[in-house]
Amino acid sequence: MTTKYSDLIEPIIKNLDIDDTKKNILRGRFLNEVVLYDDKIISVKKWYNFFRFTITIGSILLPALLSVGQMDPNKLPKNFDQISYWGSWILSLTVTVSNGFLQLFSLDKNYYMYTLVSENLKTEGWQYFQLSGKYEDVPNHHTGYKHFCKSIESIKRKQIEQEYAGGKAADKKKKFDFDKNLNDTLPKQYKIKDLEISKPEPEPEPEPEPEPEPEPESETETDSETEPEPKPKSEPKSKPKSEPKPEPKP
């Protein structure tokens, strides 16, 4: 007889070297989540096994019943054709309905996901209680408490994303390609081979305008700009002084 996980973990939580508030958080957020996922696993597993068993048995009996109908009618019991007709109809309907419920409620996906999350939580809890694995360098439970709570929330968040949002891939929505979908629905003789999806060509970058060449300056402007240097003024030549004439003697 196996012991319940809650009965096994409760004495361990009670003897941890942390305060009562943190112990209550461990019971509410960690231990309660593990028990909840274990209950989900039991419920989903029951219906998953039931529908899988129905699909398997129906898939085996249906072709066997139809093959018996191919025998000689004289060797078959009376009204066997009606029995085989209604029996094959009921079996095919049962298989279809079972497969529909299995896919509608994602029982196979939820069964694997709940089992994986439950085992991850249990593994994380045992590593924290034993101070092993990622907690082997932690001196005591009080020091590794925040790291343990962070790991529990990370596991829970990933499970929520996978169950309700389809994971991180759900954020990346594929764009609807009309040409490709139309080509897939057309008959073979009308399909376009080597369908090339036209993509918008990038606009060419504008070429830089050439810089205007400088116009040659006209000769007049150069002449006006270059003024001739002034010639040095020539000094006026000094006239020779005339000597005074001698006065006549009386």
Side-chain angles (χ1 to χ4, degrees):
M1 184 177 180
T2 57
T3 307
K4 290 184 179 180
Y5 187 78
S6 58
D7 297 336
L8 187 64
I9 297 299
E10 181 61 32
I12 299 176
I13 296 177
K14 188 176 181 180
N15 296 324
L16 291 177
D17 54 344
I18 55 178
D19 55 34
D20 294 338
T21 303
K22 294 180 179 178
K23 289 180 182 179
N24 292 329
I25 293 175
L26 288 180
R27 293 188 183 98
R29 189 56 179 166
F30 168 68
L31 185 58
N32 188 39
E33 288 294 324
V34 174
V35 174
L36 177 63
Y37 279 109
D38 286 344
D39 294 339
K40 286 184 177 181
I41 292 170
I42 294 172
S43 177
V44 172
K45 182 180 180 181
K46 178 179 65 176
W47 290 107
Y48 173 72
N49 290 335
F50 172 76
F51 287 124
R52 290 298 300 172
F53 178 80
T54 304
I55 293 171
T56 304
I57 297 300
S59 301
I60 294 173
L61 293 179
L62 182 60
L65 182 62
L66 294 176
S67 62
V68 172
Q70 303 299 324
M71 295 177 62
D72 187 5
N74 298 324
K75 297 180 180 180
L76 295 175
K78 295 179 180 180
N79 300 328
F80 184 78
D81 54 346
Q82 295 183 1
I83 296 173
S84 63
Y85 173 78
W86 289 109
S88 60
W89 183 82
I90 293 172
L91 284 175
S92 61
L93 181 63
T94 304
V95 171
T96 305
V97 170
S98 299
N99 187 43
F101 279 117
L102 193 66
Q103 299 298 327
L104 177 63
F105 297 105
S106 302
L107 296 177
D108 51 349
K109 175 186 173 183
N110 290 337
Y111 174 66
Y112 298 135
M113 181 177 59
Y114 293 155
T115 304
L116 183 62
V117 173
S118 177
E119 293 300 324
N120 286 337
L121 290 174
K122 292 177 182 178
T123 302
E124 192 74 26
W126 283 118
Q127 288 183 355
Y128 173 68
F129 297 145
Q130 298 170 352
L131 294 180
S132 61
K134 63 173 69 174
Y135 303 97
E136 60 183 358
D137 296 331
V138 178
N140 51 45
H141 295 93
H142 179 76
T143 306
Y145 174 79
K146 290 185 178 180
H147 184 63
F148 173 70
C149 292
K150 183 179 179 181
S151 300
I152 296 300
E153 295 301 325
S154 177
I155 295 172
K156 181 66 178 178
R157 185 181 68 253
K158 290 179 181 178
Q159 184 269 326
I160 293 296
E161 290 176 355
Q162 292 178 358
E163 184 174 2
Y164 296 102
K168 295 181 179 179
D171 296 334
K172 301 178 181 178
K173 296 183 179 179
K174 295 182 179 179
K175 295 183 179 179
F176 179 75
D177 193 344
F178 178 79
D179 295 335
K180 186 175 182 303
N181 284 272
L182 177 62
N183 192 46
D184 293 339
T185 55
L186 289 174
K188 292 184 179 180
Q189 60 269 25
Y190 297 110
K191 283 188 177 182
I192 304 172
K193 296 181 179 180
D194 301 332
L195 180 64
E196 294 182 358
I197 302 171
S198 59
K199 296 181 179 179
E201 296 181 356
E203 297 181 358
E205 296 181 357
E207 297 181 357
E209 296 180 358
E211 296 180 358
E213 297 180 358
E215 296 180 358
E217 297 179 354
S218 59
E219 293 181 359
T220 56
E221 290 179 356
T222 54
D223 294 342
S224 62
E225 288 179 359
T226 57
E227 296 179 357
E229 295 180 358
K231 293 181 180 181
K233 294 181 180 181
S234 58
E235 296 179 359
K237 293 181 180 180
S238 59
K239 294 181 180 181
K241 293 180 181 182
S242 59
E243 295 180 358
K245 293 180 180 183
E247 296 179 358
K249 293 179 180 183

